[in-house]
Amino acid sequence: MATKPAPVYGLIDCNSFYASCERVFRPDLAKVPIVVLSNNDGCVIARSYDAKPHVKMGEPYFQIRHRLEQLGIVAFSSNYALYGDLSERVMSLIESMVPAVEVYSIDEAFADLTGIVDATATGRQLRSRILQCSGIPVGVGIAHTKTLAKLANHTAKRLQTHTGGVVNLCGDHERDWVLRNTAVSEVWGIGRRMTVHLESMGIRTAMDLARADPWMLRKKFSVVIEKTARELAGTSCLALDEPDPPKQEICCSRMFGKRLTELAPIQEAVATYMMRASEKLRAQKSFCKKIRVSIRTGMFNPDEAKYARGVVVTLPYPTDDVRLLTKAAVDALGHVFQPGFKYSKAEVLLLDLRQPGEFSDDLFAVSQPADASKVMAVLDAINGRWGRGTLRAASVPRNPDWGMRREMMSQSYTTKVDQLWRVSCQ
């Protein structure tokens, strides 16, 4: 009887993803340090490799602005449409080359490489094709467990000059070398507090954790730490995840680009957020029976009056129709809005989500009209082909003055026709 081959996992992780996305259409920035800022250009959320020695994650932009200019570091506002589109391209490329993929985050995915004769060669092919077809550099870590694959990926990036961006830890010699030369704090899932506990027990390297008694770790800490130790020792405990089940709640919340004191612009914001939330609702093929709308002022300025309030609304029937959802949300806003405050944020929350047919209503209960479902299908098809916001509710403005501050945002190279990359021949 044939022996089942040991599982082999590959972790493909984009290098400094947000910063790499900004460089794809800006070759002049190939050797220029880059940082990317959070919503409203608040703080640093991403750094290119050459910017990391000079800038810490989370530093407020207004405090380091002049230092960045002195160091020649270029700052970008977050361009989520660009990042999302390039992420989709990277994941599609991975899916076309391997049997199974688990998309772990916007910039990394686990791939099933079990049974592939030369996994290292496949890793190099993945890296080369992704760079050629998307412009995004990646690192590839290969091992018999997901935790070791994560560690291999970390090593591939840390020693990129020597590894070429691909590290395979399926061999005992390579695995042991990496385990001995990696601090326990660098292991996937080991946070700062856990590092302190483990180091107090003499567990300072990944090898120490791999050799620790797993039952003792489970008793003293948790089953998660036990599985981590077993995975480092070569026993696979974490398989590729199945697709996530539909969410039970969907939220869309944003800070305004400036303080708002009038009801009308807040209604526009709520309509805009509901547009996005309803897209997520239809994407997972769910219906919504209740919504919650809330607004609040800034909570940290001692000179501003504080106010926060929300209201829950029950819809006449389960729906995914953005028109009905928007009307209900805008009407509800009138019950919580109070004049005299400077509002900084609004939120819409879709509640009581279920799949079609899961609502236990009586025989005479009203349900969503078939025509509404057809209209929503056309809406999503048009926006899916021509870009989000091509077709939208009349209450949703295209360029609101209350929108997020993104004064340094790059062009929408892949999602807007008028901002396509232009190449001139000289």
Side-chain angles (χ1 to χ4, degrees), residues 99-383:
V101 175
E102 175 197 334
V103 178
Y104 184 67
S105 68
I106 191 173
D107 64 345
E108 58 185 325
F110 286 101
D112 183 3
L113 305 181
T114 305
I116 294 177
V117 176
D118 191 341
T120 302
T122 300
R124 298 196 184 284
Q125 290 170 6
L126 279 163
R127 189 171 186 272
S128 176
R129 187 175 180 191
I130 292 170
L131 181 61
Q132 179 183 15
C133 297
S134 72
I136 302 295
V138 303
V140 181
I142 302 167
H144 287 306
T145 74
K146 290 173 73 174
T147 303
L148 282 171
K150 192 85 170 177
L151 206 59
N153 187 283
H154 174 72
T155 305
K157 291 183 177 181
R158 183 164 56 97
L159 304 175
Q160 186 164 326
T161 304
H162 305 285
T163 65
V166 179
V167 167
N168 188 336
L169 298 186
C170 289
D172 292 343
H173 176 74
E174 294 82 0
R175 183 194 67 195
D176 290 348
W177 186 92
V178 170
L179 290 176
R180 285 195 303 269
N181 290 277
T182 302
V184 70
S185 60
E186 300 293 340
V187 175
W188 184 30
I190 303 298
R192 292 181 182 178
R193 292 184 179 180
M194 183 55 62
T195 297
V196 173
H197 289 306
L198 293 174
E199 288 181 345
S200 68
M201 298 168 58
I203 300 175
R204 300 183 180 278
T205 67
M207 177 63 85
D208 295 335
L209 184 57
R211 291 176 173 173
D213 181 356
W215 291 109
M216 178 273 294
L217 293 173
R218 180 173 186 169
K219 183 178 180 180
K220 188 173 183 62
F221 300 113
S222 69
V223 67
V224 174
I225 303 301
E226 176 204 356
K227 288 183 177 181
T228 298
R230 291 186 185 277
E231 288 244 325
L232 290 174
T235 301
S236 179
C237 302
L238 305 171
L240 289 186
D241 287 346
E242 297 295 325
D244 292 333
K247 295 180 180 180
Q248 299 303 304
E249 296 179 355
I250 293 176
C251 178
C252 188
S253 174
R254 298 283 189 277
M255 298 289 291
F256 305 137
K258 63 179 183 179
R259 296 288 195 265
L260 300 179
T261 58
E262 303 295 330
L263 177 60
I266 300 178
Q267 289 176 327
E268 291 180 350
V270 166
T272 302
Y273 302 165
M274 183 58 77
M275 187 82 179
R276 178 64 182 131
S278 68
E279 289 173 353
K280 296 179 181 180
L281 181 71
R282 293 190 296 275
Q284 68 174 36
K285 297 179 172 56
S286 294
F287 281 172
C288 168
K289 188 64 186 296
K290 296 179 181 179
I291 63 172
R292 184 180 189 275
V293 180
S294 61
I295 53 176
R296 70 171 175 83
T297 61
M299 294 298 169
F300 304 105
N301 189 337
D303 298 326
E304 289 184 359
K306 309 296 187 295
Y307 176 81
R309 189 179 173 190
V311 62
V312 176
V313 178
T314 300
L315 302 169
Y317 50 81
T319 184
D320 63 2
D321 189 337
V322 66
R323 298 168 299 179
L324 177 59
L325 291 166
T326 299
K327 184 179 185 307
V330 171
D331 290 345
L333 188 61
H335 296 287
V336 297
F337 175 82
Q338 292 290 334
F341 292 99
K342 296 180 180 180
Y343 294 96
S344 66
K345 185 177 182 180
E347 176 182 285
V348 295
L349 182 65
L350 307 187
L351 303 167
D352 198 3
L353 308 186
R354 306 185 200 176
Q355 300 301 102
E358 291 184 350
F359 288 91
S360 302
D361 290 324
D362 60 65
L363 181 63
F364 302 101
V366 179
S367 59
Q368 176 165 295
D371 288 346
S373 298
K374 293 179 181 178
V375 171
M376 292 302 103
V378 172
L379 171 71
D380 292 334
I382 292 175
N383 288 336

Side-chain angles (χ1 to χ4, degrees), residues 35-103:
V35 296
V36 178
L37 308 176
S38 63
N39 293 346
N40 291 317
D41 296 339
C43 60
V44 175
I45 58 172
R47 306 160 295 168
S48 61
Y49 181 80
D50 44 6
K52 290 182 179 180
H54 309 289
V55 185
K56 296 179 181 179
M57 285 289 284
E59 284 197 89
Y61 176 62
F62 76 93
Q63 292 182 355
I64 63 172
R65 181 172 184 171
H66 296 298
R67 177 154 56 92
L68 295 182
E69 294 174 354
Q70 292 171 354
L71 294 171
I73 299 175
V74 178
F76 282 96
S77 302
S78 49
N79 188 343
Y80 297 120
L82 176 65
Y83 309 152
D85 191 59
L86 289 177
S87 171
E88 186 175 345
R89 296 185 186 195
V90 170
M91 299 309 165
S92 297
L93 289 166
I94 298 172
E95 290 170 353
S96 70
M97 297 182 66
V98 299
V101 175
E102 175 197 334
V103 178

